[in-house]
Amino acid sequence: MSRTCIVVAFRRTSPKDSACGGSSTCDVVSELTVDALDLSWLQVVDAPARCQYEEDDSEGPADVIAVCSVSTELFKTAGEVALTSACSSDHLSCEVWLTAPCRVPLCIDSVDAFAFDSEGIEDGERALTESGMAVMKQALQPDQTLSLLQIAMERVEVLGKDEFTFAEISSRGGPRGDCDCLGDQSEYVTMAYKALGGPLIKSQRWKQGKCRRLWCTPNLGLRNSIFWLLTRNQFKHIAPVVHSKPGAQEQDWHSDGPHTGQDANWDGKGGSPPYAVCVFIPLIDLDPEVGFTQFWPKSHHYSQLIGFGPAACIIGAAVDGVIPAGGCVMYDYRLMHRGMPNRSRATLRPLIQLLYHKPSYKEKRNYAGKSISKIPNQVQLPVEPRELPHAGEQDLA
């Protein structure tokens, strides 16, 4: 039987003690039943402060956000009123915020909840498998980060305001673009590769040979991606630099790669393992002024969430990827995300992007197949790094 997902916002209409009788509001909501819709609660959480409810909403912010699944046929017949009337009381009001054809994942965590280090490989494995993202606060040393920044700034200088796309370089028009940052700088490719793969290779799991089998079962999510993808030289683009100049606006929500294989079920299980993992390494400290990348954890499980990106902010599920220079965010190539605005006056926001993927995957979305070397009068990319007066800053006047 077909199911529909509904996201419901609950508000207490009386003091908490009166509304819940000593129980938490989440517990009260979890015990509500709506037989007319064959309702099943999937996730009930205290509403994050980052929920972007309407400013002119006289009822104020929600107290609880709940996700449930209902029978599609029954919902078509009974409608929202069957749910809101059954779930409302003298102490609680409810409002349907969203309906979707698949589960809508909630997230109340900050980016720190996805962090791991070389001593906590299993934490990173769990985060990438379940949530589609994992974070290392220090993947590169400061001198390594500065070296990469110098090269990246040189590469970015060749990009103008026109839009063009080649296999090695792409300008998205105006303040955004990306290009093959490291090119033939093999020592820097090796540096980034070892810095990310090193802690994983040294782990006990790798030493015991338990991670050498390739794409074995769906349950090996991060083991198949982190341990294999980051320790085997299998990637399409060595290290493009993705940059956002001052004035860059927020992007639309999107996933870098298409969904292939099987989606997860309503319990979030059974989805196909990742075919590609992307690693973002910012080369300057990220903050609200220069911007960052925003992620929707667990969105990689469901292909039918494509187009629902704006809902992530409304329900408070968007996580701000604010990390320091030299750190990294690893994410499933299917995970929904967006670049945020660069509101600074003169600071370029560069990051290295490492794409690791199964050999069978062919990158078609983000780079055209034609090489710039085959175009007459092609742009010549600079090779030698130069001294920068201030790391991350460039006079763009």
Side-chain angles (χ1 to χ4, degrees), residues 308-323:
F308 283 88
C313 294
I314 295 173
I315 64 178
V319 172
D320 295 344
V322 178
I323 60 175

Side-chain angles (χ1 to χ4, degrees), residues 30 32 38 41 91 113 119 132 153 157-159 164 195 206 210 212 232 234 290 294 330 335 342 360 390 394:
S30 298
L32 296 173
D38 186 24
W41 295 111
H91 304 295
E119 302 300 321
M153 297 295 280
E157 284 186 351
V158 307
L159 296 177
F164 56 85
W206 177 262
K210 295 182 178 180
R212 297 181 183 274
R232 294 284 292 276
Q234 300 277 6
V290 299
Q294 203 170 56
M330 308 173 187
L335 190 73
N342 184 340
S360 59
H390 297 90
Q394 184 179 31

Side-chain angles (χ1 to χ4, degrees), residues 44-86:
V44 181
V45 301
D46 290 321
R50 62 191 182 213
C51 285
Q52 294 182 359
Y53 67 97
E54 296 295 332
E55 293 289 346
D56 58 354
D57 192 334
S58 59
E59 296 186 45
D63 295 299
V64 166
I65 305 294
V67 176
C68 65
S69 72
V70 299
S71 163
T72 301
E73 293 303 316
L74 294 176
F75 185 64
K76 286 180 179 179
T77 303
E80 291 184 13
V81 66
L83 188 151
T84 54
S85 60

Side-chain angles (χ1 to χ4, degrees), residues 3-8 37 39-44 66-70 83 98 100 102-104 266:
R3 307 286 290 178
T4 294
C5 183
I6 305 179
V7 180
V8 188
L37 296 176
L39 181 147
S40 175
W41 295 111
L42 302 174
Q43 195 175 3
V44 181
V67 176
C68 65
S69 72
V70 299
L83 188 151
L98 176 68
C102 63
R103 180 168 180 167
V104 177
W266 287 91

Side-chain angles (χ1 to χ4, degrees), residues 109-176:
D109 298 315
S110 69
V111 71
D112 292 337
F114 307 96
F116 74 104
D117 56 29
S118 59
E119 302 300 321
I121 298 300
E122 291 186 358
D123 295 332
E125 178 177 347
R126 188 181 307 109
L128 189 56
T129 302
E130 297 177 359
S131 299
M133 61 180 291
V135 175
M136 292 184 74
K137 290 296 184 71
Q138 186 177 11
L140 301 178
Q141 296 300 317
D143 60 329
Q144 296 173 324
T145 304
L146 181 58
S147 295
L148 290 172
L149 175 62
Q150 291 174 328
I151 298 174
M153 297 295 280
E154 281 286 348
R155 300 291 186 181
V156 168
E157 284 186 351
V158 307
L159 296 177
K161 296 182 178 180
D162 295 331
E163 292 194 23
F164 56 85
T165 304
F166 297 103
E168 306 89 351
I169 186 170
S170 175
S171 174
R172 308 305 180 186
R176 291 187 187 274

